[in-house]
Amino acid sequence: MSTLFISDLHLSPATPTINHCFAQFMREEAVKADALYVLGDLFDFWIGDDDTSDFANFVRGEFKQLTDAGVPCFFTKGNRDFLVGKRFAKQTGITLLGDETVIDLYGRKAVVLHGDTLCTQDVSYLKFREKVNKKWLQWLFNRIPMFIKKKIVSKIQSDIRDDKKTKSLEIMDVTQSEVERVMEMHQVDLMIHGHTHRPDVHIFETNQSTNTRIVLGDWYTQGSVLVCDKKNIELQTRPFL
Ligand code: LP5
Ligand code: MN
């Protein structure tokens, strides 16, 4: 048996191939797992738990089926699905996690997070994140009619689209000192995150300890899954059919 980690699927009604690969993964693979962790950006954008579109219901259905089968499912919000809320969790049976969570992975402690907060050089993004994560603002946004919310989101998305093009790859990657600070704070030697879309296993030394940082891959051209069991941790891919 194994514990599975995924992130950065960026599912939307416009991604039928990815949605199909996701459904297949949930029904054939995740259902046999000890647990599933989704580390953010499952959605291309989640506008709110009041989304009752066929697409939103399709995703709800996949999680409900999984948790009904007895597989615990944990969800860390990403920068594209920070509006996933308690209603979605209740409807699907998933457990929402905080920004950073320490888990027990077959006896090894690991910190799991989306990864955006590790990119401390991306100052404009972090300021933006602080704004949209304000509880009162989310409370207000969640009460606006869906058609107005859609207009607000697409206006903001188009306003900030060019902003990302001005940032270097270095700015949009994690800051090593922040990685070390977070691992030290949680007293762990293993970190698992997504967000940067640079799947890799980084091994580095700090104060006589050997640390591992695993970066999950996105699902743009293939499925990407971290498979952990008692003995091994392996980044794997799944072909789109
Ligand atoms: O995901 P990716 O890799 O494409 O980009 C991210 C960062 N971008 C984002 C933006 C989201 O994808 C889209 C958000 C739509 C917002 C709708 C909000 C609705 C209101 C909700 C109120 C509760 O996350 C990108 C990072 C990149 O990761 C790093 O890899 O760089 O960050 C940006 O590009 C953001 C800009 O730098 C910020 C520009 C400031 C704009 C100010 C707008 C004020 C909005 C106030 C909201 C109330
Ligand atoms: Mn992200």
Side-chain angles (χ1 to χ4, degrees):
M1 292 281 269
S2 54
T3 296
L4 307 176
F5 297 81
I6 57 173
S7 72
D8 303 284
L9 290 84
H10 293 220
L11 303 180
S12 85
T15 58
T17 311
I18 311 176
N19 303 352
H20 181 257
C21 187
F22 162 71
Q24 198 172 21
F25 164 78
M26 295 292 272
R27 292 171 195 192
E28 293 173 15
E29 201 173 334
V31 75
K32 298 180 200 145
D34 288 326
L36 171 67
Y37 285 83
V38 181
L39 298 187
D41 290 0
L42 171 75
F43 296 102
D44 195 54
F45 193 75
W46 182 252
I47 198 153
D49 292 357
D50 54 338
D51 186 344
T52 53
S53 63
D54 289 348
F55 164 73
N57 286 335
F58 148 72
V59 178
R60 279 188 188 93
E62 294 301 329
F63 282 103
K64 179 86 171 84
Q65 234 173 300
L66 186 69
T67 57
D68 279 351
V71 180
C73 182
F74 304 94
F75 191 104
T76 300
K77 299 176 201 180
N79 55 295
R80 288 165 171 266
D81 41 27
F82 57 88
L83 290 170
V84 167
K86 286 182 189 153
R87 202 190 321 174
F88 182 86
K90 199 168 175 207
Q91 287 165 338
T92 57
I94 65 165
T95 302
L96 289 178
L97 302 178
D99 284 349
E100 292 167 8
T101 309
V102 175
I103 64 169
D104 182 330
L105 204 49
Y106 304 105
R108 187 173 181 188
K109 261 172 71 176
V111 63
V112 299
L113 64 168
H114 178 55
D116 53 340
T117 50
L118 297 170
C119 306
T120 56
Q121 290 189 81
D122 197 347
V123 177
S124 61
Y125 165 69
L126 290 175
K127 281 187 184 154
F128 170 78
R129 183 184 195 274
E130 212 181 303
K131 282 194 192 99
V132 295
N133 274 290
K134 292 235 182 292
K135 285 275 163 289
W136 67 267
L137 190 61
Q138 292 189 359
W139 185 91
L140 211 65
F141 188 77
N142 285 334
R143 276 148 189 86
I144 296 174
M146 182 57 81
F147 77 100
I148 300 178
K149 292 205 296 183
K150 282 185 178 163
K151 282 190 180 162
I152 295 173
V153 169
S154 67
K155 173 80 175 78
I156 296 177
Q157 280 172 333
S158 80
D159 283 356
I160 68 177
R161 193 153 289 138
D162 289 341
D163 209 60
K164 212 178 126 182
K165 292 182 196 147
T166 65
K167 299 179 193 178
S168 68
L169 286 175
E170 197 208 340
I171 282 179
M172 292 191 289
D173 202 356
V174 302
T175 306
Q176 180 63 20
S177 58
E178 181 62 8
V179 168
E180 292 175 15
R181 189 193 68 77
V182 172
M183 292 178 81
E184 165 82 24
M185 184 177 71
H186 293 292
Q187 293 287 293
V188 296
D189 63 7
L190 176 61
M191 172 183 269
I192 303 170
H193 71 84
H195 182 67
T196 61
H197 300 209
R198 297 174 214 205
D200 211 340
V201 177
H202 301 268
I203 298 182
F204 59 95
E205 306 286 331
T206 52
N207 300 333
Q208 295 155 356
S209 71
T210 302
N211 304 283
T212 307
R213 175 172 68 91
I214 301 176
V215 189
L216 307 177
D218 62 48
W219 283 49
Y220 286 166
T221 54
Q222 60 193 355
S224 180
V225 187
L226 179 72
V227 182
C228 302
D229 60 27
K230 281 179 190 138
K231 287 187 184 155
N232 297 306
I233 304 187
E234 195 182 7
L235 270 173
Q236 298 179 3
T237 56
R238 303 286 177 267
F240 286 167
L241 297 173

PDB file of all heavy atoms in Angstrom, residues 1-5 30 32-37 66 71-74 106:
ATOM      1  N   MET A   1       0.847  -1.195   0.000  1.00  0.00           N
ATOM      2  CA  MET A   1       0.000   0.000   0.000  1.00  0.00           C
ATOM      3  C   MET A   1       0.885   1.250   0.000  1.00  0.00           C
ATOM      4  O   MET A   1       2.008   1.220   0.449  1.00  0.00           O
ATOM      5  CB  MET A   1      -0.896   0.020   1.248  1.00  0.00           C
ATOM      6  CG  MET A   1      -1.945  -1.058   1.251  1.00  0.00           C
ATOM      7  SD  MET A   1      -3.350  -0.637   0.219  1.00  0.00           S
ATOM      8  CE  MET A   1      -4.410   0.173   1.405  1.00  0.00           C
ATOM      9  N   SER A   2       0.311   2.350  -0.483  1.00  0.00           N
ATOM     10  CA  SER A   2       1.128   3.554  -0.618  1.00  0.00           C
ATOM     11  C   SER A   2       0.300   4.807  -0.353  1.00  0.00           C
ATOM     12  O   SER A   2      -0.929   4.770  -0.351  1.00  0.00           O
ATOM     13  CB  SER A   2       1.730   3.599  -2.018  1.00  0.00           C
ATOM     14  OG  SER A   2       0.690   3.487  -2.961  1.00  0.00           O
ATOM     15  N   THR A   3       1.023   5.898  -0.123  1.00  0.00           N
ATOM     16  CA  THR A   3       0.389   7.208   0.023  1.00  0.00           C
ATOM     17  C   THR A   3       0.762   8.014  -1.205  1.00  0.00           C
ATOM     18  O   THR A   3       1.928   8.034  -1.611  1.00  0.00           O
ATOM     19  CB  THR A   3       0.886   7.893   1.322  1.00  0.00           C
ATOM     20  OG1 THR A   3       0.439   7.096   2.427  1.00  0.00           O
ATOM     21  CG2 THR A   3       0.335   9.293   1.463  1.00  0.00           C
ATOM     22  N   LEU A   4      -0.248   8.662  -1.788  1.00  0.00           N
ATOM     23  CA  LEU A   4      -0.041   9.365  -3.059  1.00  0.00           C
ATOM     24  C   LEU A   4      -0.157  10.875  -2.881  1.00  0.00           C
ATOM     25  O   LEU A   4      -0.988  11.351  -2.088  1.00  0.00           O
ATOM     26  CB  LEU A   4      -1.077   8.894  -4.083  1.00  0.00           C
ATOM     27  CG  LEU A   4      -1.176   7.380  -4.289  1.00  0.00           C
ATOM     28  CD1 LEU A   4      -2.305   7.038  -5.257  1.00  0.00           C
ATOM     29  CD2 LEU A   4       0.143   6.808  -4.804  1.00  0.00           C
ATOM     30  N   PHE A   5       0.659  11.600  -3.629  1.00  0.00           N
ATOM     31  CA  PHE A   5       0.634  13.067  -3.596  1.00  0.00           C
ATOM     32  C   PHE A   5       0.504  13.592  -5.033  1.00  0.00           C
ATOM     33  O   PHE A   5       1.243  13.140  -5.920  1.00  0.00           O
ATOM     34  CB  PHE A   5       1.941  13.614  -3.011  1.00  0.00           C
ATOM     35  CG  PHE A   5       2.188  13.224  -1.579  1.00  0.00           C
ATOM     36  CD1 PHE A   5       2.715  11.972  -1.269  1.00  0.00           C
ATOM     37  CD2 PHE A   5       1.894  14.096  -0.539  1.00  0.00           C
ATOM     38  CE1 PHE A   5       2.948  11.607   0.046  1.00  0.00           C
ATOM     39  CE2 PHE A   5       2.125  13.740   0.780  1.00  0.00           C
ATOM     40  CZ  PHE A   5       2.648  12.491   1.079  1.00  0.00           C
ATOM     41  N   ALA A  30      -5.848   5.782  -6.880  1.00  0.00           N
ATOM     42  CA  ALA A  30      -6.026   6.388  -5.555  1.00  0.00           C
ATOM     43  C   ALA A  30      -6.917   5.517  -4.673  1.00  0.00           C
ATOM     44  O   ALA A  30      -6.726   5.438  -3.455  1.00  0.00           O
ATOM     45  CB  ALA A  30      -6.600   7.793  -5.703  1.00  0.00           C
ATOM     46  N   LYS A  32      -6.919   2.513  -4.245  1.00  0.00           N
ATOM     47  CA  LYS A  32      -6.182   1.421  -3.586  1.00  0.00           C
ATOM     48  C   LYS A  32      -5.135   1.949  -2.603  1.00  0.00           C
ATOM     49  O   LYS A  32      -4.374   1.178  -2.031  1.00  0.00           O
ATOM     50  CB  LYS A  32      -5.464   0.572  -4.648  1.00  0.00           C
ATOM     51  CG  LYS A  32      -6.398  -0.111  -5.624  1.00  0.00           C
ATOM     52  CD  LYS A  32      -5.580  -0.920  -6.625  1.00  0.00           C
ATOM     53  CE  LYS A  32      -6.385  -1.215  -7.869  1.00  0.00           C
ATOM     54  NZ  LYS A  32      -5.560  -1.218  -9.088  1.00  0.00           N
ATOM     55  N   ALA A  33      -5.068   3.289  -2.453  1.00  0.00           N
ATOM     56  CA  ALA A  33      -3.999   3.885  -1.646  1.00  0.00           C
ATOM     57  C   ALA A  33      -4.370   3.948  -0.160  1.00  0.00           C
ATOM     58  O   ALA A  33      -5.536   3.839   0.211  1.00  0.00           O
ATOM     59  CB  ALA A  33      -3.700   5.291  -2.155  1.00  0.00           C
ATOM     60  N   ASP A  34      -3.345   4.166   0.673  1.00  0.00           N
ATOM     61  CA  ASP A  34      -3.586   4.399   2.106  1.00  0.00           C
ATOM     62  C   ASP A  34      -4.173   5.788   2.315  1.00  0.00           C
ATOM     63  O   ASP A  34      -4.963   6.009   3.231  1.00  0.00           O
ATOM     64  CB  ASP A  34      -2.254   4.331   2.879  1.00  0.00           C
ATOM     65  CG  ASP A  34      -1.720   2.912   2.973  1.00  0.00           C
ATOM     66  OD1 ASP A  34      -2.539   1.983   3.061  1.00  0.00           O
ATOM     67  OD2 ASP A  34      -0.490   2.738   2.961  1.00  0.00           O
ATOM     68  N   ALA A  35      -3.739   6.731   1.480  1.00  0.00           N
ATOM     69  CA  ALA A  35      -4.229   8.111   1.585  1.00  0.00           C
ATOM     70  C   ALA A  35      -3.843   8.878   0.323  1.00  0.00           C
ATOM     71  O   ALA A  35      -2.882   8.504  -0.376  1.00  0.00           O
ATOM     72  CB  ALA A  35      -3.623   8.812   2.797  1.00  0.00           C
ATOM     73  N   LEU A  36      -4.602   9.927   0.046  1.00  0.00           N
ATOM     74  CA  LEU A  36      -4.267  10.820  -1.077  1.00  0.00           C
ATOM     75  C   LEU A  36      -4.099  12.242  -0.540  1.00  0.00           C
ATOM     76  O   LEU A  36      -4.952  12.736   0.205  1.00  0.00           O
ATOM     77  CB  LEU A  36      -5.383  10.809  -2.130  1.00  0.00           C
ATOM     78  CG  LEU A  36      -5.241  11.866  -3.236  1.00  0.00           C
ATOM     79  CD1 LEU A  36      -4.031  11.580  -4.139  1.00  0.00           C
ATOM     80  CD2 LEU A  36      -6.512  11.944  -4.098  1.00  0.00           C
ATOM     81  N   TYR A  37      -2.996  12.871  -0.916  1.00  0.00           N
ATOM     82  CA  TYR A  37      -2.767  14.281  -0.589  1.00  0.00           C
ATOM     83  C   TYR A  37      -2.794  15.089  -1.881  1.00  0.00           C
ATOM     84  O   TYR A  37      -2.065  14.775  -2.821  1.00  0.00           O
ATOM     85  CB  TYR A  37      -1.401  14.474   0.087  1.00  0.00           C
ATOM     86  CG  TYR A  37      -1.375  14.014   1.522  1.00  0.00           C
ATOM     87  CD1 TYR A  37      -1.169  12.670   1.840  1.00  0.00           C
ATOM     88  CD2 TYR A  37      -1.572  14.918   2.564  1.00  0.00           C
ATOM     89  CE1 TYR A  37      -1.162  12.241   3.163  1.00  0.00           C
ATOM     90  CE2 TYR A  37      -1.559  14.492   3.891  1.00  0.00           C
ATOM     91  CZ  TYR A  37      -1.358  13.161   4.178  1.00  0.00           C
ATOM     92  OH  TYR A  37      -1.353  12.742   5.488  1.00  0.00           O
ATOM     93  N   LEU A  66     -14.057   8.444  -3.773  1.00  0.00           N
ATOM     94  CA  LEU A  66     -12.813   8.005  -3.141  1.00  0.00           C
ATOM     95  C   LEU A  66     -12.957   7.927  -1.620  1.00  0.00           C
ATOM     96  O   LEU A  66     -12.580   6.926  -0.998  1.00  0.00           O
ATOM     97  CB  LEU A  66     -11.685   8.982  -3.503  1.00  0.00           C
ATOM     98  CG  LEU A  66     -10.298   8.582  -3.045  1.00  0.00           C
ATOM     99  CD1 LEU A  66      -9.811   7.362  -3.816  1.00  0.00           C
ATOM    100  CD2 LEU A  66      -9.307   9.728  -3.221  1.00  0.00           C
ATOM    101  N   VAL A  71     -10.850   5.862   1.548  1.00  0.00           N
ATOM    102  CA  VAL A  71      -9.494   6.411   1.396  1.00  0.00           C
ATOM    103  C   VAL A  71      -9.461   7.842   1.943  1.00  0.00           C
ATOM    104  O   VAL A  71     -10.164   8.712   1.416  1.00  0.00           O
ATOM    105  CB  VAL A  71      -9.051   6.416  -0.091  1.00  0.00           C
ATOM    106  CG1 VAL A  71      -7.643   6.984  -0.242  1.00  0.00           C
ATOM    107  CG2 VAL A  71      -9.142   5.020  -0.679  1.00  0.00           C
ATOM    108  N   PRO A  72      -8.663   8.102   2.977  1.00  0.00           N
ATOM    109  CA  PRO A  72      -8.593   9.470   3.492  1.00  0.00           C
ATOM    110  C   PRO A  72      -7.969  10.401   2.454  1.00  0.00           C
ATOM    111  O   PRO A  72      -6.978  10.025   1.805  1.00  0.00           O
ATOM    112  CB  PRO A  72      -7.682   9.356   4.720  1.00  0.00           C
ATOM    113  CG  PRO A  72      -7.397   7.912   4.915  1.00  0.00           C
ATOM    114  CD  PRO A  72      -7.777   7.174   3.680  1.00  0.00           C
ATOM    115  N   CYS A  73      -8.553  11.560   2.292  1.00  0.00           N
ATOM    116  CA  CYS A  73      -8.069  12.483   1.284  1.00  0.00           C
ATOM    117  C   CYS A  73      -7.850  13.863   1.905  1.00  0.00           C
ATOM    118  O   CYS A  73      -8.755  14.408   2.533  1.00  0.00           O
ATOM    119  CB  CYS A  73      -9.082  12.545   0.155  1.00  0.00           C
ATOM    120  SG  CYS A  73      -8.524  13.612  -1.135  1.00  0.00           S
ATOM    121  N   PHE A  74      -6.647  14.387   1.738  1.00  0.00           N
ATOM    122  CA  PHE A  74      -6.254  15.658   2.363  1.00  0.00           C
ATOM    123  C   PHE A  74      -5.961  16.688   1.284  1.00  0.00           C
ATOM    124  O   PHE A  74      -5.398  16.352   0.234  1.00  0.00           O
ATOM    125  CB  PHE A  74      -5.016  15.445   3.245  1.00  0.00           C
ATOM    126  CG  PHE A  74      -5.230  14.386   4.292  1.00  0.00           C
ATOM    127  CD1 PHE A  74      -4.859  13.059   4.059  1.00  0.00           C
ATOM    128  CD2 PHE A  74      -5.835  14.704   5.498  1.00  0.00           C
ATOM    129  CE1 PHE A  74      -5.075  12.076   5.007  1.00  0.00           C
ATOM    130  CE2 PHE A  74      -6.054  13.725   6.466  1.00  0.00           C
ATOM    131  CZ  PHE A  74      -5.678  12.410   6.219  1.00  0.00           C
ATOM    132  N   TYR A 106       4.715   6.928   7.144  1.00  0.00           N
ATOM    133  CA  TYR A 106       5.283   5.621   7.506  1.00  0.00           C
ATOM    134  C   TYR A 106       6.463   5.779   8.481  1.00  0.00           C
ATOM    135  O   TYR A 106       7.549   5.221   8.277  1.00  0.00           O
ATOM    136  CB  TYR A 106       5.697   4.855   6.253  1.00  0.00           C
ATOM    137  CG  TYR A 106       4.568   4.693   5.272  1.00  0.00           C
ATOM    138  CD1 TYR A 106       4.526   5.468   4.108  1.00  0.00           C
ATOM    139  CD2 TYR A 106       3.527   3.801   5.520  1.00  0.00           C
ATOM    140  CE1 TYR A 106       3.475   5.340   3.214  1.00  0.00           C
ATOM    141  CE2 TYR A 106       2.472   3.671   4.633  1.00  0.00           C
ATOM    142  CZ  TYR A 106       2.448   4.446   3.486  1.00  0.00           C
ATOM    143  OH  TYR A 106       1.408   4.324   2.609  1.00  0.00           O
TER     144      TYR A 106
END
